[in-house]
Amino acid sequence: MSTVKALAVVALGVALLATSVPSAAMADETTPPEFAFTLLAANGSACRLDPQSITTEVLPDGDFVVRYRAFVVYGGDYRSCTLIGSVAAPEGWTYAIPAVSNRSLAALGAGASAKVRTAAWFTGYPETVMDAQQVDGPYVDFWDTTTGWSPLTWAPCDAAVNLTVNALARVVGPAADLVTMVSTTIHRPMWRQC
């Protein structure tokens, strides 16, 4: 191959590469962001922002999990934990959290009951979702509850707002009855462009 032909082939390759760069940049602008959740605070009668009280984990599917070490409620009492976190929403994007789930372990005798109440909202705005679910004794097993937004509530566009989630557990019955809150899961958000 002559030097002229070789230079022509290189020039054609560079030209093709240059024309493909803008479309790659466009694809990045329309690809939903990754879920980056930072827990800023955890407080209440059942938790604090301390490794002795809670641990956090991001699951492979993108959900953010807070695991409690000492969220135990005995009969005739209630306890709660309020989680405040920030979601990294790039400029031009907003998000909605589809659901929050709680996992508990209940040990209830006949006549006892337990209730888990979940509330979530964007800090500085009214509560956007609240749900309470109950289980009656006799019951000794894990107990999963899920609270979802319907319709979805979207974070304000181009505004830095935190997400607040409150989990409360109450047990009605003798002191021997109890609920241990194991975890709260903030499900991976849905994204849309502003």
Side-chain angles (χ1 to χ4, degrees):
M1 181 182 291
S2 72
T3 305
V4 174
K5 284 185 181 176
L7 288 173
V9 169
V10 170
L12 179 61
V14 169
L16 288 174
L17 182 61
T19 58
S20 67
V21 170
S23 60
M26 288 293 285
D28 289 341
E29 291 174 7
T30 59
T31 301
E34 292 293 318
F35 183 25
F37 185 84
T38 303
L39 188 61
L40 303 173
N43 53 56
S45 55
C47 70
R48 62 187 187 282
L49 191 58
D50 182 309
Q52 300 299 317
S53 179
I54 62 168
T55 60
T56 61
E57 177 185 8
V58 178
L59 299 181
D61 64 2
D63 292 349
F64 185 85
V65 181
V66 176
R67 298 188 197 287
Y68 304 104
R69 294 187 181 266
F71 193 153
V72 182
V73 184
Y74 296 95
D77 202 2
Y78 70 93
R79 296 182 78 191
S80 69
C81 181
T82 300
L83 307 169
I84 300 172
S86 68
V87 175
E91 186 177 341
W93 288 91
T94 184
Y95 67 93
I97 303 294
V100 174
S101 297
N102 294 301
R103 174 157 250 229
S104 305
L105 179 60
L108 305 171
S113 65
K115 183 178 286 187
V116 169
R117 175 190 171 270
T118 305
W121 62 95
F122 297 113
T123 306
Y125 293 80
E127 288 183 350
T128 54
V129 65
M130 186 172 64
D131 184 41
Q133 298 179 38
Q134 180 171 314
V135 65
D136 297 319
Y139 186 92
V140 180
D141 204 347
F142 282 102
W143 177 34
D144 297 316
T145 62
T146 299
T147 301
W149 279 257
S150 182
L152 289 174
T153 299
W154 297 88
C157 280
D158 299 323
V161 295
N162 294 327
L163 177 68
T164 302
V165 175
N166 177 266
L168 179 143
R170 178 185 304 272
V171 178
V172 175
D177 295 303
L178 64 90
V179 164
T180 299
M181 184 83 78
V182 177
S183 64
T184 295
T185 301
I186 299 167
H187 293 270
R188 182 182 60 187
M190 301 175 73
W191 294 94
R192 76 177 181 191
Q193 292 180 295
C194 294

